[in-house]
Amino acid sequence: AIMSDSEDRSDIGTHRLNTPKQTLEDAYAEPDNCLEIDVVNPETHDLGKKRFTDYEVKMKTNLPIFKIRETSVRRRYSDFEWLKAELERTSKIVVPPLPGKALKRQLPFRSDDGIYEEGFIEERRSGLEGFINKIAGHPLAQNEKCLHMFLCDPILDKKYVPGKIR
């Protein structure tokens, strides 16, 4: 039987509707532009008179601009301050605020553990996580070398030459 044009076209129309069912695997696959950063596992280090807390910064992404899909580095509060200052200096983005410096907590002769107290560390961790996710999700920040270094380089070279990543 010879099909007329009109029959042929209607067939194409219904054919389009028969898309394959979404599998569970597809439903839970990561989206095309996935970028998740977790700030976890705070550790307080005692180096003689110097005491500081650092955090694990873990990134999972499939954004093409990031050469590495999964990273894990340790960063302290001052590293986040460095990143904020670098972005303010080298990019046009409005950088969100960091969680506060907690200067009162650093005064001597406190009855508690000051900035090394668990509750404070958790509060700061959560604030740093919000901060880095806001920044890393910004398309202009994603082109900045300092952000890539912050997320990917085990040791931050703060004498780096700023630049754009394409």
Side-chain angles (χ1 to χ4, degrees), residues 17-33:
L17 297 174
N18 299 334
T19 52
K21 292 263 184 287
Q22 191 186 39
T23 65
L24 271 177
E25 220 166 278
D26 294 339
Y28 290 104
E30 50 182 38
D32 290 341
N33 49 359

Side-chain angles (χ1 to χ4, degrees), residues 21-154:
K21 292 263 184 287
Q22 191 186 39
T23 65
L24 271 177
E25 220 166 278
D26 294 339
Y28 290 104
E30 50 182 38
D32 290 341
N33 49 359
C34 149
L35 173 68
E36 279 174 41
I37 301 171
D38 295 314
V39 176
V40 291
N41 305 330
E43 279 177 23
T44 296
H45 306 268
D46 283 297
L47 302 174
K49 283 197 173 149
K50 280 191 99 149
R51 194 176 182 200
F52 67 91
T53 303
D54 66 5
Y55 305 82
E56 185 183 2
V57 178
K58 292 163 76 160
M59 173 179 73
K60 264 178 96 157
T61 184
N62 56 12
L63 293 178
I65 188 110
F66 291 100
K67 304 289 172 273
I68 315 173
R69 295 276 160 260
E70 287 195 33
T71 64
S72 165
V73 291
R74 292 203 71 86
R75 296 287 180 250
R76 44 196 292 192
Y77 184 82
S78 56
D79 296 329
F80 285 86
E81 288 182 307
W82 171 83
L83 176 63
K84 184 179 191 308
E86 282 307 300
L87 287 169
E88 286 170 339
R89 191 168 71 95
T90 62
S91 81
K92 296 187 169 39
I93 67 174
V94 177
V95 184
L98 274 167
K101 263 301 246 183
L103 293 172
K104 283 208 177 82
R105 281 188 167 270
Q106 297 178 41
L107 294 171
F109 314 118
R110 289 181 62 92
S111 57
D112 65 8
D113 218 357
I115 60 170
Y116 303 107
E117 212 168 69
E118 233 171 85
F120 173 74
I121 287 175
E122 171 49 33
E123 201 178 300
R124 176 172 271 188
R125 183 207 64 73
S126 151
L128 292 174
E129 189 172 85
F131 169 82
I132 192 63
N133 275 285
K134 274 196 198 106
I135 286 179
H138 195 301
L140 288 177
Q142 290 169 5
N143 294 326
E144 295 295 332
K145 188 171 164 190
C146 57
L147 175 67
H148 287 252
M149 289 169 50
F150 181 89
L151 291 170
C152 306
D153 295 1

